[in-house]
Amino acid sequence: MQKESKLNAENRQKTSGRGSNKVPIGSADFLAPESLEKALDYRKRYGFEATVIAGGTDIMVDYFERLYEVNSWLDLNKIEELKKIEINDEEIIIGATATHKRIAEHPDLQKYLPMLAHASSEVGAWQIQSRGTIGGNIVTSSPAGDTLAPLLAYDAKVVLQSKGGNRILDMSDFFIGPKENVEESDELLTKIIIPKPSENILSRWKKVGKRKALIISSLTMAILIEIDNDGVIENARACYGAVAPTPIEVKNVGDYLKNQKLKEVDAKKVGEIAVAGISPIDDIRGTEQYRRQVTHDLTVNAIKEMAEEI
Amino acid sequence: MNDLKQVNKSKKRVDAKAKVTGKAKFGADLKFANMLYGKVVRTKYPYAKIKNVDISKAEAYPGVEVVMTAKDIPNNTFGVIIQNQRVLAEDEAIYIGDGIVMLAAESKEAAEEAAKLVEIEYEELKGIHDPLESRKPDAQLVMEGTDSNQVVHHPLRKGDVETGFAEADLILEREYSTHYIEHAYLEPEAVTVVPNERQTLVSVYGSVQNPYATRDAVARVLEADLSQVRIIQDNMGGSFGGKDENISSMAARAAVMALETDRPVQMVNSREESIIESYKRHPYNLKYKVGATKEGKLTAMEIEAVADSGAYACQTPFVTWRSVVQATGPYEVPNVKTDTYGFYTNNPYTGAMRGYGSPPTCFAQESLMDELAEELGMKPDQLREKNMYRQGSHTASNQKLDNHTVSLQEVLDKAKESINYDKKYEEYSKEQTGEKKRGIGLAISYRGVSLGAEAIDTTGGIVAVQKDGSIILYCGLAENGQGLRTVFSQVVGEELGVNLDRITYMEADTSVAPESGSTVASRSTFMGGNALKKAAKNVKETMIEFAKEEYGVEGEIIFKDNALYTDSGKKIEDFSKVASDAFHSGVFLSSYGWYKAPKISWDEETGQGRPYFTYVYGCQIAEVEVDTGTGQVKVLNMAAAHDVGKAINPANVRGQIYGGVVMAVGHALMEDLGFSDGFINHTNFDEYLIPTAKDIPDIDAIIVENPDPAGPYGAKSIGEPTVELGGAAINNAIALATGERHYDLPLNLERVLIGRDLSREG
């Protein structure tokens, strides 16, 4: 039960935990570097005292009617390098400030990473997709971030850059809790590296929300299965959002599916394993019981549909 | 009538350009010299004793001009029906929106900071949050000075239900519940009060739905004459019934502070303040018992509807009265026993919301009819056709429907045809494989036009032709976004043969226009249209008389295309020239029109009589797709057929239908205050979800026209009937799709998937 009227409490949701505990440094600066190098200089100098802004679709909501609390801004929008999307024989490299809209409409990403393209087309609404960036979605680190389950399923890595050098981390190592991640105060997330998926890939993406747009997901699911020419599963990853403190891969699903013939898989069993691997809570977007049931049903259906597809 | 030039045409809204170009001023846009900004400190708890209030720190904050509590208010209570709403709470707070302290400062920031410095000592008490608890004889009392929590009880008795149920082959008993609905107007409440302006004590500007109700409240609180309180309405960013008592309260607060400081005071709610303080649609608990023969003839209905009035009486007595009249739905039932109640609780108070008392009963009764049809092995439309009102039918209150066209068959047929009901019903009744299942469901209704026996039903208007032939209209009814300025301009334009660009409908101003009752109950087109038509007719007669004499014409004179013509089609003079000539000859070219609604009657003991002078009829059919893996419901199509008598502006009527359908989709599927134990948890639109463009179905808005003898050009009403049918239609469609019936709103993901809403207790 709520103890006090929400009017007297903090009204707004917070989406980025760390930026709000800044100590003002006296001078208020708006930093908009045109090079990554310069941005990393600022980042080192200001640390968390400058709030990083890309699309601003989370941060502007966070600080609605109290923008004055932000002392300095580090704006990444003028850095062309961060917007690039590159594809080579091995990898797909997406710059941190590529917008959801560009990703959703990119023909190669639609081809190679359909779950990511689809998820990007379901973030918020047109306006948010046009402003919001993939890097922002990752750094905000909401367990419900729409692009996160697909990125996990595609085995993405994130590049954290600082003056001192680069760290390349598995996505799964980046998140440590709701809206918490391992990014240090002198680091910027600059790109996402995704191994180019093979030809024999099946995938299923699903977003569940209480309405069709402008909705924080109640649950997301991204399942990827790689099969050989005989229909035997070589590799599988079942990833979910909004069912645990961070977006997660349920590794037991992959382990269970590996080396099985997809057409012979016991889909119900897969659903059970998936549910056993999540730890949902009750919140306004759904209850624990609802999330468990839907995780089960969506997983079972996804496996069945994929089996029928081959 | 065949040669209409203005009426029955989809004229462009007269205020569209100002609104889309941003020139139109809304309540919060106003600025006055020397203006202060007001702020209210509200309770922390839904029910608490206020032990001590310390305003000293707030008073000392720089820029603060005044800090006031209940004891500084001349008269602390007001209300449209029962005067028990408090401007500020004094000894105890009885719901979560109760204000305790108000203050005004030089800037919004100073007001906000000062509000944080008000220190209130509470003793939190255990409140009563369920009307079914509140109705128990030993329940603690919510309202001081009462001997029970009952706000009102409306009985209706027709025939003998015992006999009726004895004749039945099948009896169904079902319970339903509906939930709080927030109006969700785009513009939160805004008021500015200017003291000692223009010969009055206070001028109140703002987003006021019902200027006369607000005037009553402000005058009562200030203990001032009505003539000393002037309410001027600004453009409205939506209301839907929602800017009445809460605006009255805000205006009264601002007025007290404006007089205290002798400076203008502006108050504007944030969305959170708006959602927490403003009244909501009543949640209802409904019990229905229906008996029918195996042939499908209804023999009896017994209904009990309990509405949660929250902390104040507000409009509960009238809201539950509309429920008692319409509770059986549009069906001939020989034996009826209906009781509707309202009870006080420590919950948000409840009042007018588009649809008033009918959406809850419609949801229950039209869901029940579908289930009854299923039990009897009949198609849903066939059961309805067997029992629904036809010309000359008698209603539950024994009113004979014979003074207008009873068009249920027509609206049903047209809606069915539009959406291809029969074929889809057959298809979706078969076994469906796969995750996604489709269904189709319908609902029909009849609805009384205007206030009915709630209150005296009169409206006045003024048509003032200027010496250049342009026309100014005044009326006490208010443009709340529904298109009334346009509709009234069309009615007057038609009478006087003048195009709309020559006509200006003034904002409602209580010191100028005649008191016209509230802009509620879908009554404005009918009532205001009749009043202004009368006024225009009077002016027309004056001009005819003048023209005959002045220009020496004989026979009939025809007003059209901004000019006067003889009956043979010869142009006499431009309208503007006639106006000018008449003015300079000393002719008075203005007139009042006063319209009093046809006679009605009501017996409070038996619920018998003629509660409304005419009715409108509607049918809506929803086609849905249910994702049985997630509980997501997609409304694919809606057909909505409404008999409006005559559409003064067909585009506007369709707009009303689209809006009503979308609202009903939101109410049925997703809107949820996150209410628990007196607290409101969903205080902005990130949590209180309303439909987006992507959630809106394809809507076929079907206008059915059977002119009413008493209506202006035959027009009746459209605003509210559009929102009362969607809940049941969608519920019935989901039942056909999934094979599972639901009895409670909203039909959110969890309810549809698991069968109950897990986030609520129960």
Side-chain angles (χ1 to χ4, degrees):
Chain A
M1 182 191 147
Q2 187 187 332
K3 288 285 179 278
E4 285 189 5
S5 169
K6 278 188 84 174
L7 258 190
N8 301 291
E10 200 55 65
N11 285 330
R12 311 278 170 176
Q13 58 168 336
K14 287 236 173 72
T15 51
S16 323
R18 279 184 146 183
S20 42
N21 295 323
K22 307 163 283 46
V23 183
I25 55 167
S27 70
D29 292 316
F30 190 91
L31 312 163
E34 289 178 19
S35 72
L36 179 58
E37 202 191 335
K38 191 82 192 152
L40 293 172
D41 277 345
Y42 285 137
R43 186 68 171 154
K44 184 165 178 60
R45 184 136 51 97
Y46 285 79
F48 290 135
E49 285 160 13
T51 298
V52 178
I53 181 165
T57 54
D58 286 327
I59 211 85
M60 298 301 276
V61 176
D62 270 9
Y63 286 97
F64 179 71
E65 284 186 346
R66 47 187 195 95
L67 274 171
Y68 53 86
E69 288 182 17
V70 177
N71 201 54
S72 295
W73 293 96
L74 175 54
D75 176 8
L76 304 183
N77 282 293
K78 288 190 176 162
I79 307 170
E80 288 305 315
E81 189 185 341
L82 292 182
K83 298 179 186 172
K84 274 191 214 154
I85 297 174
E86 294 169 70
I87 295 162
N88 59 40
D89 289 346
E90 302 292 316
E91 292 168 338
I92 296 166
I93 301 157
I94 304 175
T97 62
T99 62
H100 301 305
K101 193 113 207 116
R102 274 182 64 219
I103 292 169
E105 291 172 358
H106 197 291
D108 288 332
L109 299 188
Q110 287 173 348
K111 181 178 166 196
Y112 292 112
L113 309 173
M115 291 192 291
L116 180 65
H118 196 171
S120 301
S121 78
E122 291 190 301
V123 174
W126 185 285
Q127 294 89 332
I128 291 173
Q129 289 161 22
S130 303
R131 293 282 319 168
T133 65
I134 189 167
N137 207 227
I138 297 169
V139 174
T140 291
S141 302
S142 160
D146 284 330
T147 65
L148 307 183
L151 286 170
L152 284 172
Y154 287 124
D155 206 14
K157 293 182 180 354
V158 292
V159 178
L160 295 172
Q161 253 174 285
S162 66
K163 290 294 283 182
N166 290 357
R167 286 202 287 164
I168 300 179
L169 297 178
D170 284 343
M171 276 281 289
S172 51
D173 294 331
F174 182 74
F175 306 112
I176 51 178
K179 290 156 196 168
E180 283 180 53
N181 58 52
V182 299
E183 191 188 45
E184 295 292 340
S185 66
D186 62 342
E187 287 179 319
L188 286 174
L189 189 153
T190 53
K191 50 192 153 185
I192 297 101
I193 301 172
I194 299 165
K196 199 168 173 182
S198 74
E199 297 284 300
N200 293 328
I201 288 271
L202 297 167
S203 66
R204 277 291 176 285
W205 154 256
K206 182 95 180 178
K207 167 172 174 157
V208 180
K210 290 187 173 183
R211 66 181 172 194
K212 306 242 162 0
L214 290 168
I215 190 73
I216 298 173
S217 297
S218 301
L219 188 144
T220 61
M221 177 192 79
I223 298 184
L224 179 144
I225 291 179
E226 206 173 338
I227 49 170
D228 68 12
N229 292 333
D230 301 322
V232 175
I233 298 169
E234 294 184 310
N235 206 350
R237 278 185 295 277
C239 303
Y240 302 88
V243 294
T246 67
I248 54 160
E249 180 194 349
V250 178
K251 289 215 161 63
N252 287 345
V253 171
D255 293 345
Y256 175 78
L257 288 174
K258 198 165 181 173
N259 298 327
Q260 288 202 57
K261 267 188 109 101
L262 177 54
K263 282 215 180 287
E264 291 163 9
V265 165
D266 177 355
K268 270 195 110 91
K269 177 79 185 157
V270 180
E272 284 162 24
I273 296 170
V275 173
I278 62 173
S279 50
I281 56 163
D282 287 353
D283 67 16
I284 71 154
R285 289 175 283 282
T287 56
E288 180 190 342
Q289 189 190 333
Y290 175 82
R291 286 173 158 134
R292 287 190 187 280
Q293 183 160 340
V294 173
T295 298
H296 178 271
D297 291 356
L298 289 183
T299 304
V300 170
N301 288 325
I303 298 294
K304 282 186 186 165
E305 283 170 19
M306 286 191 267
E308 275 170 30
E309 206 176 296
I310 54 170
Chain B
M1 288 290 277
N2 301 328
D3 196 23
L4 296 172
K5 294 268 187 183
Q6 305 294 342
V7 159
N8 209 223
K9 303 275 183 281
S10 291
K11 295 281 174 187
K12 199 165 72 184
R13 286 178 71 120
V14 296
D15 49 2
K17 196 173 175 190
K19 284 180 175 170
V20 299
T21 55
K23 288 194 176 73
K25 293 279 178 284
F26 291 80
D29 294 330
L30 298 188
K31 294 284 171 279
F32 292 87
N34 219 18
M35 187 170 88
L36 296 170
Y37 297 85
K39 178 95 185 157
V40 176
V41 181
R42 295 179 183 82
T43 176
K44 276 188 178 178
Y45 308 103
Y47 184 37
K49 204 167 242 135
I50 300 164
K51 297 186 76 175
N52 189 42
V53 179
D54 183 353
I55 58 171
S56 55
K57 287 183 186 142
E59 280 182 314
Y61 191 82
V64 171
E65 275 294 297
V66 66
V67 184
M68 301 179 94
T69 61
K71 62 180 190 319
D72 304 313
I73 295 170
N75 180 353
N76 197 28
T77 58
F78 69 96
V80 170
I81 304 163
I82 300 170
Q83 286 75 35
N84 64 11
Q85 184 168 341
R86 288 133 3 134
V87 181
L88 290 174
E90 188 162 9
D91 301 326
E92 52 177 27
I94 57 174
Y95 89 104
I96 196 64
D98 258 339
I100 299 170
V101 174
M102 61 184 182
L103 54 87
E106 301 286 350
S107 68
K108 278 183 226 173
E109 291 73 20
E112 265 167 40
E113 288 307 312
K116 291 179 194 159
L117 300 175
V118 170
E119 290 170 0
I120 301 170
E121 202 184 315
Y122 301 93
E123 181 189 338
E124 195 186 356
L125 300 170
K126 190 170 163 36
I128 221 167
H129 302 297
D130 180 352
L132 299 179
E133 290 296 316
S134 166
R135 75 183 299 188
K136 290 179 180 166
D138 57 346
Q140 70 186 29
L141 295 175
V142 173
M143 185 64 66
E144 273 177 10
T146 54
D147 54 11
S148 96
N149 286 323
Q150 183 175 304
V151 180
V152 72
H153 169 212
H154 297 295
L156 182 149
R157 303 286 182 267
K158 182 187 185 187
D160 176 41
V161 285
E162 297 308 320
T163 315
F165 287 122
E167 290 165 4
D169 298 312
L170 177 70
I171 293 172
L172 285 188
E173 287 185 74
R174 294 291 181 268
E175 292 186 22
Y176 300 86
S177 74
T178 63
H179 59 315
Y180 285 109
I181 295 292
E182 155 66 27
H183 303 77
Y185 26 75
L186 196 59
E187 176 208 23
E189 303 82 356
V191 150
T192 310
V193 176
V194 184
N196 303 307
E197 186 200 42
R198 299 184 189 190
Q199 316 312 320
T200 60
L201 191 61
V202 286
S203 299
V204 179
Y205 301 85
S207 51
V208 184
Q209 179 183 327
N210 293 318
Y212 295 94
T214 295
R215 184 176 70 158
D216 286 348
V218 172
R220 182 184 156 91
V221 170
L222 297 179
E223 295 175 336
D225 283 354
L226 293 177
S227 63
Q228 284 299 299
V229 175
R230 181 178 189 180
I231 314 286
I232 300 140
Q233 192 208 27
D234 297 316
N235 282 297
M236 297 278 279
S239 184
F240 313 109
K243 287 178 177 169
D244 200 335
E245 285 82 356
N246 50 344
I247 284 286
S248 292
S249 165
M250 189 184 232
R253 290 167 181 168
V256 170
M257 292 196 287
L259 287 175
E260 177 67 20
T261 57
D262 199 22
R263 292 174 66 176
V265 173
Q266 184 166 81
M267 301 186 86
V268 180
N269 274 341
S270 68
R271 180 64 62 189
E272 286 79 6
E273 289 172 317
S274 172
I275 289 185
I276 285 185
E277 179 166 349
S278 71
Y279 55 87
K280 313 286 177 243
R281 182 191 299 298
H282 293 70
Y284 271 62
N285 288 283
L286 306 120
K287 282 188 190 173
Y288 269 77
K289 182 178 177 185
V290 62
T293 65
K294 56 182 183 300
E295 292 78 29
K297 234 11 209 166
L298 300 177
T299 60
M301 256 189 175
E302 188 172 344
I303 301 155
E304 185 188 80
V306 173
D308 186 348
S309 185
Y312 300 120
C314 191
Q315 309 251 333
T316 297
F318 293 169
V319 169
T320 52
W321 182 75
R322 188 170 279 275
S323 306
V324 84
V325 176
Q326 292 173 216
T328 59
Y331 304 108
E332 287 189 332
V333 192
N335 305 290
V336 182
K337 176 174 183 276
T338 305
D339 293 278
T340 64
Y341 300 90
F343 292 97
Y344 294 113
T345 62
N346 294 111
N347 289 344
Y349 74 114
T350 44
M353 160 80 207
R354 191 179 190 183
Y356 221 52
S358 72
T361 55
C362 268
F363 167 70
Q365 145 262 314
E366 280 299 271
S367 297
L368 180 68
M369 288 300 281
D370 249 47
E371 201 172 345
L372 182 63
E374 195 183 322
E375 294 282 335
L376 290 165
M378 295 174 75
K379 255 181 85 198
D381 54 328
Q382 285 167 348
L383 176 68
R384 287 174 171 86
E385 284 181 336
K386 209 165 207 134
N387 294 284
M388 70 195 185
Y389 295 152
R390 297 178 184 277
Q391 206 64 38
S393 283
H394 286 82
T395 66
S397 55
N398 220 16
Q399 177 175 8
K400 191 176 181 191
L401 301 173
D402 58 359
N403 67 340
H404 63 277
T405 307
V406 178
S407 55
L408 280 167
Q409 188 71 56
E410 189 178 352
V411 292
L412 178 63
D413 288 345
K414 286 188 167 159
K416 277 172 59 184
E417 191 192 336
S418 154
I419 204 166
N420 203 359
Y421 176 81
D422 288 332
K423 187 163 169 288
K424 285 177 179 166
Y425 181 82
E426 193 189 328
E427 192 186 329
Y428 301 155
S429 297
K430 292 176 194 156
E431 187 75 25
Q432 298 183 53
T433 55
E435 278 283 277
K436 293 188 173 167
K437 302 189 193 309
R438 289 191 174 190
I440 193 162
L442 63 81
I444 60 174
S445 73
Y446 83 126
R447 181 181 185 87
V449 172
S450 201
L451 301 175
E454 287 169 17
I456 190 71
D457 206 355
T458 51
T459 290
I462 303 170
V463 172
V465 175
Q466 310 299 304
K467 66 187 176 200
D468 64 351
S470 63
I471 300 170
I472 298 175
L473 310 181
Y474 303 91
C475 176
L477 298 175
E479 170 66 65
N480 293 329
Q482 78 279 50
L484 168 157
R485 281 183 193 133
T486 310
V487 162
F488 287 175
S489 299
Q490 285 179 270
V491 167
V492 172
E494 188 68 53
E495 279 305 310
L496 294 176
V498 172
N499 291 337
L500 302 194
D501 58 358
R502 300 284 285 160
I503 302 174
T504 303
Y505 183 78
M506 299 304 290
E507 68 276 6
D509 179 336
T510 54
S511 292
V512 176
E515 178 158 359
S516 300
S518 286
T519 305
V520 296
S522 306
R523 68 191 279 269
S524 296
T525 298
F526 187 97
M527 297 297 296
N530 269 328
L532 285 164
K533 192 164 185 273
K534 263 188 172 177
K537 268 206 159 102
N538 293 342
V539 173
K540 189 174 175 179
E541 278 165 24
T542 306
M543 289 180 83
I544 289 170
E545 203 179 310
F546 172 75
K548 282 186 173 170
E549 196 167 310
E550 179 77 8
Y551 312 119
V553 285
E554 281 173 11
E556 200 189 342
I557 294 180
I558 293 152
F559 288 59
K560 62 170 188 182
D561 305 333
N562 290 340
L564 277 63
Y565 293 85
T566 64
D567 53 2
S568 60
K570 190 170 160 287
K571 183 171 165 181
I572 302 164
E573 272 299 350
D574 282 342
F575 183 88
S576 55
K577 176 78 164 70
V578 180
S580 172
D581 288 350
F583 177 83
H584 290 105
S585 306
V587 176
F588 181 52
L589 289 181
S590 294
S591 176
Y592 261 95
W594 186 250
Y595 183 74
K596 186 166 187 283
K599 209 168 145 56
I600 47 175
S601 63
W602 184 254
D603 184 324
E604 289 287 349
E605 303 289 311
T606 62
Q608 299 293 289
R610 278 172 56 81
Y612 296 97
F613 53 79
T614 192
Y615 294 84
V616 289
Y617 303 90
C619 173
Q620 291 187 359
I621 307 181
E623 183 184 6
V624 306
E625 184 174 271
V626 183
D627 185 332
T628 54
T630 63
Q632 281 170 310
V633 175
K634 186 173 182 183
V635 184
L636 303 169
N637 291 294
M638 284 283 274
H642 290 274
D643 188 344
V644 298
K646 186 84 168 177
I648 303 291
N649 188 317
N652 218 14
V653 170
R654 282 193 290 274
Q656 286 286 327
I657 295 174
Y658 298 142
V661 166
V662 172
M663 253 185 169
V665 167
H667 300 174
L669 298 182
M670 62 185 80
E671 296 189 29
D672 182 357
L673 268 188
F675 182 78
S676 65
D677 294 326
F679 290 97
I680 293 171
N681 289 306
H682 300 169
T683 56
N684 205 326
F685 294 139
D686 56 338
E687 296 171 333
Y688 187 89
L689 303 177
I690 58 176
T692 68
K694 280 193 155 186
D695 299 284
I696 296 174
D698 279 337
I699 304 165
D700 188 13
I702 304 156
I703 299 174
V704 174
E705 293 184 316
N706 290 292
D708 193 276
Y713 299 97
K716 292 198 273 194
S717 59
I718 186 62
E720 293 175 283
T722 58
V723 84
E724 66 191 11
L725 291 155
I730 290 168
N731 193 30
N732 291 336
I734 292 172
L736 184 67
T738 64
E740 282 175 34
R741 291 217 152 257
H742 298 282
Y743 302 91
D744 308 285
L745 290 176
L747 300 160
N748 57 22
L749 307 183
E750 305 207 333
R751 180 108 59 207
V752 174
L753 185 71
I754 300 170
R756 63 197 172 91
D757 188 340
L758 301 168
S759 61
R760 291 156 193 270
E761 307 93 29

